[in-house]
Every structure is written in structure tokens, then in C-alpha cells.
Amino acid sequence: MDEQWIQSVGIDVGTSTTKMIVSRLRLGRMSSTFSLPRYQIVERQLLYASEVHSTPLIGFDEIDADGIGAILAAEYDKAQISLSQIKSGAVIITGETASKKNAQHIVHLLAERSGDFVVATAGADLEGVLAGKGAGAEKRSQAIQGVIVNVDIGGGTANAAYFQRGRAIATVTFHVGGRLIRLSPQGVVQYVSPNIQQWLSAKGLRIQVGQEIGFAQLTEVAEQLGRSMLDYLTGKERQVSGLLVVGPHLRDSIPVDELTVSGGVGLLMSGPPVQNISDASRYGDFGPLLGYVLQQEREKGTYPVQWLDPDQTVRATVIGAGMQSTEISGSTVHIKPELLPIKNIPILKLELTEEQLADATRLRQEVAAIYQLGERLFEKTTGIPFALAISGIGYCSYALLQMLSQELSEQYRATFPESQTMVVICETDMAKALGQALALRCKGAPEIICIDQVRVEYGDYIDLGEPISGTIIPVVVKTLAFDERP
């Protein structure tokens, strides 16, 4: 198997911390010598992990771009690596930082300087999916018959992502985190997040700033908070626990077979027993106690779900990106050359079965579900929120083509009305016909790019180059890389 090594960088600019990881990725050629080269990441080695820096901000709502640049420059020096030695990588701006007013400016700045990097902002839902990939939940879901949910619990929120057969099927975010309640070493309450006040009242729990709280009372709050999150995740109870949900609720109750917990609180689940206020408040908040009570729930086995250890906890973040392949889409594409080139488009995959294609109602539901997931994971934009890769279609009759284009276009325009360009990737050679059918319905709002002969997977990112000889498009497929348990 032909192979090559590349050096890759993963940079995570989070709400409170910024870190960088340098890795070596071994790319193995998976295609024959008679076809276009296609590579897959077959081995990864961590070369350097930076210290964890406080994310530099200017005031409360602006990222300090110069500060970020200074941190990265110093870390490149420590890692003894230059930008010219980096082939590919990923910069992900996560958490509340992603909503800072100049986050998009930072993203574009980094993209301009980063060559083949994936550069993206990740809100709570996409952050939950990325953490689930890093924690190993996505990979595990490919091996089991059922659903696994990973919950990444940090300081202010818990981001849950459900995976089934190797793809995220739903996300939900909770006001559950270690720093929602802050304490002095003596147990005097310094801060209670307003985001949990309604839930506290519904539970009949009282805790307020200035109060010297007893260990038993604080434990009761932590236990109830952890149980409410588990109640919601497992579908046991949704009314009161739903008060903790940030943003949209789950559309349906999803039976969960396995559960992993990552993030700072996930790491604290393996810590020593928390037996008094001094133990609980050792980081100035109640994170250690929250981790401990979740571990107690795991040991009691109260919930009908199998708890697993995640592959990673606090480093369940991207370590880089591998440039998987450069492919060519041509012969049956539908494009407007002036819209190209385009970089860093995330992939959503619509996998259809024969039964769904034969039933207009089921097809409509599948298209609605994938667009709703895209709405949660990626920002609504005047540009391209994602590229939709369609698989599972063999022979496509004229009637099926019309039905498919109707659902794709109508629901896209309703869900992403600001988007000026829609990108569709077909598995089979039908891009020209589908593109024309979509364009006929959309009438330029949005414009349509429809390509085929490109193999992508859920979670990849693609770059579309400028057309060659009119209708041939070079496509670079980049896959995010996460550390894996040996």
C-alpha cells in the first residue's frame, strides 16, 4: 500500500482555553494505481501538545486576534516546527467564543494564512459532535446495533451528541456544568448561574449567593442536576429536566444503549471521592462534586444504559486534519464557474434506502431531518452552510428525480432562506440532471452547484477549485483527525 506521512496541527480556541496539538498522520493509499489517488488516515502520532492557555479576549465580546497569534507563534517555536512544515490542519473556534463579535473575522484571517486547513466556528451542537468524535462515540456507533450518546460537560454547558451507524443523528445542550455554582474554600456561595434558577425552583432547591452551604445540601443539588440531565437523555422525564435545555429540544425521544461522558467533568468522574466542602470546592466551583455524583450514578446502574469510558476526556478535540484526496468531478456536473473556488464546506450526508425513495412521505421526513440537523450544527448564512452528499440512489427515474429535486429545493429554501448557493454531491452520475431540476425550481435563489464522482463521508470538509476546461472541478476532501486510544 502506497503511503506518506504529513504533519498536521489542531488548534482549539475555546470559551476559556486555547490549545494546540501537532501530530503526524500516516496516509495510506486505498485506491489502485490505475485510478485517481485516494488516501485514508491509517495511523496518527502525537508530536507535541501545548500547555493550556487562557483564551485572550478584549472585554467580554471580542477575541484578541493579536493575542491568539502570539500564543500560536510561541507554541510553534516550542514545538520546533515551522508553518512550511505543516501540510494540513484544523482550527476550531468553540463554545461561546464562537459567538464573539469578531469570531468570523478571526476565522477568515486564519483561513487566509492556513492553506489547506479546515477553519470553522462550532456552536454548542457542532462542538458536541466534535467532542463525540474525539471521545470515540462516533466510531463505537459503527460497531454496535443501537445508539450511543456522548455528553461533553464543561464549565457552563453539557453538549450531548447521539450517534448511530457512524453518524450524528441528534444533538441537545444543557445548562449543566462545573462552574454554574462557584464556591469559596469555606463553602460560601460566590455565584449561581441564572440559567438554572427556574430549574432550582421547580425542584424545590434553594441556593443563593452569600449563603454558607452545607455539604449535604450541595450534594443534593449536584445529584438532582446530574439526574435531570440523565432523565432527559434517556427519556425518563422531560418536563422539569427540559428546563435545563439550551435552545431547541430533541424532536423525538431517542432510546440510548450506551453513554460516555467527556470534558472536564468527565475527567473528574475518575477522581478521588468528594467527601466534604473542601474537596468539592478545590477548583472554586462544584465541578468535582458534579463529576463524583455522576460516577455514583454510573456505579448504581439506575439508568437502563451501559456506561463506557470515553477514548478521551479533556482532549476530546480535534488534533488536526488529513488531506484525504484530490478528486475530480466532471462530465455531468451542474455549476456556475463564477461561484468557484469555494473552501472549507462541511459535509452532511443524506443516506437513503429504497423504501424511503419509494415513499414520498418518508423521503420528505428524511430531507427535513437532515436539514434540521444542518440547521443546528452550522450557522445560517448567506453563503453555503454545508454540502449535502446524497447516497443510496441506484437507477434514478425521471419521476424520482423530480420528486427528489422538489423536496431538496423546497425544504432548503424554507430552512435556509438566506443562503445564496446550494451545494449537492451525488454518489452516482446524475449531477447534471439533478442540478438542472434544482435550478429550474430555485430560479437562482439559491444558485445550484451539483457535482458527482466524489466520495465523501459525514464530517469531511471539501474545497471546490476553479473549473478546468470548463466543466471539470478539482475537489479536495479533508477529514478531521482525532486522537485514538491505542
Side-chain angles (χ1 to χ4, degrees):
M1 180 173 65
D2 185 19
E3 65 179 44
Q4 59 177 293
W5 286 90
I6 64 168
Q7 298 199 82
S8 186
V9 164
I11 300 167
D12 184 348
V13 182
T15 301
S16 56
T17 62
T18 293
K19 50 189 179 286
M20 182 184 95
I21 293 172
V22 182
S23 60
R24 286 183 81 217
L25 304 175
R26 183 161 68 91
L27 306 181
R29 179 168 177 154
M30 311 307 288
S31 56
S32 72
T33 53
F34 301 104
S35 57
L36 285 169
R38 178 175 178 78
Y39 290 88
Q40 183 175 329
I41 299 170
V42 293
E43 185 178 349
R44 54 207 78 195
Q45 298 176 352
L46 287 185
L47 298 180
Y48 177 79
S50 78
E51 60 183 283
V52 178
H53 300 269
S54 294
T55 298
L57 300 174
I58 300 172
F60 289 103
D61 61 353
E62 190 171 349
I63 300 170
D64 181 354
D66 292 337
I68 294 285
I71 288 172
L72 297 181
E75 290 297 344
Y76 274 114
D77 283 344
K78 289 182 185 176
Q80 298 184 325
I81 195 167
S82 66
L83 270 174
S84 62
Q85 295 173 280
I86 301 297
K87 181 66 175 175
S88 183
V91 183
I92 309 292
I93 299 179
T94 58
E96 293 178 6
T97 314
S99 62
K100 301 298 182 189
K101 69 180 184 184
N102 63 336
Q104 285 300 321
H105 171 66
I106 301 286
V107 166
H108 292 305
L109 196 65
L110 290 170
E112 289 170 3
R113 296 178 179 177
S114 305
D116 289 325
F117 276 43
V118 170
V119 184
T121 55
D125 296 285
L126 182 56
E127 189 178 356
V129 172
L130 294 176
K133 286 169 173 270
E138 182 200 44
K139 187 175 181 182
R140 171 69 183 165
S141 75
Q142 295 173 327
I144 66 170
Q145 294 292 322
V147 174
I148 179 169
V149 61
N150 180 73
V151 194
D152 192 73
I153 310 178
T157 58
N159 306 320
Y162 294 74
F163 294 90
Q164 186 176 38
R165 297 196 301 273
R167 67 187 181 100
I169 57 170
T171 58
V172 64
T173 300
F174 302 94
H175 288 300
V176 173
R179 294 190 66 77
L180 294 178
I181 298 173
R182 299 177 198 167
L183 304 161
S184 74
Q186 295 74 34
V188 177
V189 178
Q190 307 287 311
Y191 171 82
V192 180
S193 170
N195 294 322
I196 60 171
Q197 289 294 352
Q198 193 178 1
W199 172 84
L200 285 167
S201 297
K203 283 287 186 180
L205 300 168
R206 285 182 55 80
I207 180 170
Q208 54 190 1
V209 174
Q211 169 188 0
E212 184 173 349
I213 193 167
F215 182 64
Q217 186 181 358
L218 188 64
T219 300
E220 175 69 11
V221 174
E223 286 177 343
Q224 292 290 344
L225 194 65
R227 286 173 189 163
S228 274
M229 183 184 72
L230 293 169
D231 286 348
Y232 193 95
L233 287 171
T234 59
K236 183 177 179 181
E237 186 277 326
R238 291 282 172 86
Q239 189 168 0
V240 176
S241 63
L243 297 173
L244 294 172
V245 171
V246 185
H249 286 245
L250 287 176
R251 188 178 53 158
D252 302 305
S253 179
I254 302 173
V256 176
D257 300 281
E258 297 182 353
L259 167 71
T260 54
V261 182
S262 61
V265 173
L267 180 65
L268 289 167
M269 287 176 65
S270 59
V274 177
Q275 298 175 324
N276 51 50
I277 279 291
S278 178
D279 290 342
S281 63
R282 63 180 185 267
Y283 298 129
D285 54 47
F286 85 141
L289 187 56
L290 184 58
Y292 180 64
V293 299
L294 285 170
Q295 179 60 26
Q296 296 294 297
E297 290 296 336
R298 173 177 177 164
E299 292 179 1
K300 283 188 285 189
T302 311
Y303 290 88
V305 61
Q306 183 179 358
W307 296 64
L308 301 177
D309 293 327
D311 286 357
Q312 296 288 334
T313 50
V314 291
R315 293 211 179 272
T317 50
V318 63
I319 65 169
M323 191 169 63
Q324 198 178 64
S325 60
T326 300
E327 302 197 19
I328 299 293
S329 178
S331 72
T332 68
V333 299
H334 178 90
I335 57 169
K336 288 189 73 171
E338 57 267 35
L339 299 176
L340 302 174
I342 301 170
K343 297 192 71 171
N344 288 321
I345 310 171
I347 297 293
L348 271 187
K349 202 160 183 181
L350 177 62
E351 297 174 287
L352 297 169
T353 64
E354 290 183 5
E355 291 76 17
Q356 290 161 348
L357 290 168
D359 185 331
T361 302
R362 291 189 64 183
L363 177 63
R364 185 173 303 122
Q365 290 170 345
E366 289 301 313
V367 173
I370 198 71
Y371 282 167
Q372 286 171 8
L373 183 61
E375 191 177 20
R376 295 190 65 140
L377 296 184
F378 309 113
E379 289 185 354
K380 287 193 174 183
T381 171
T382 56
I384 305 167
F386 55 83
L388 185 68
I390 304 173
S391 67
I393 301 177
Y395 169 71
C396 186
S397 66
Y398 178 80
L400 176 58
L401 184 80
Q402 296 305 315
M403 184 171 69
L404 185 62
S405 62
Q406 177 67 26
E407 291 303 332
L408 292 176
S409 61
E410 185 177 291
Q411 294 197 47
Y412 189 87
R413 296 172 73 186
T415 313
F416 305 98
E418 302 91 344
S419 175
Q420 296 174 7
T421 308
M422 176 183 184
V423 177
V424 178
I425 302 172
C426 304
E427 196 173 63
T428 50
D429 294 345
M430 54 180 282
K432 194 174 189 70
L434 180 61
Q436 288 175 343
L438 288 168
L440 194 63
R441 286 173 167 79
C442 292
K443 297 181 172 59
E447 298 282 6
I448 303 297
I449 295 176
C450 197
I451 63 174
D452 55 23
Q453 301 177 31
V454 176
R455 283 166 293 179
V456 292
E457 295 298 332
Y458 174 84
D460 287 343
Y461 282 72
I462 59 169
D463 296 344
L464 303 180
E466 294 183 7
I468 302 169
S469 302
T471 58
I472 298 174
I473 304 174
V475 181
V476 176
V477 182
K478 295 173 282 189
T479 186
L480 294 181
F482 297 85
D483 196 16
E484 289 188 343
R485 180 180 289 173

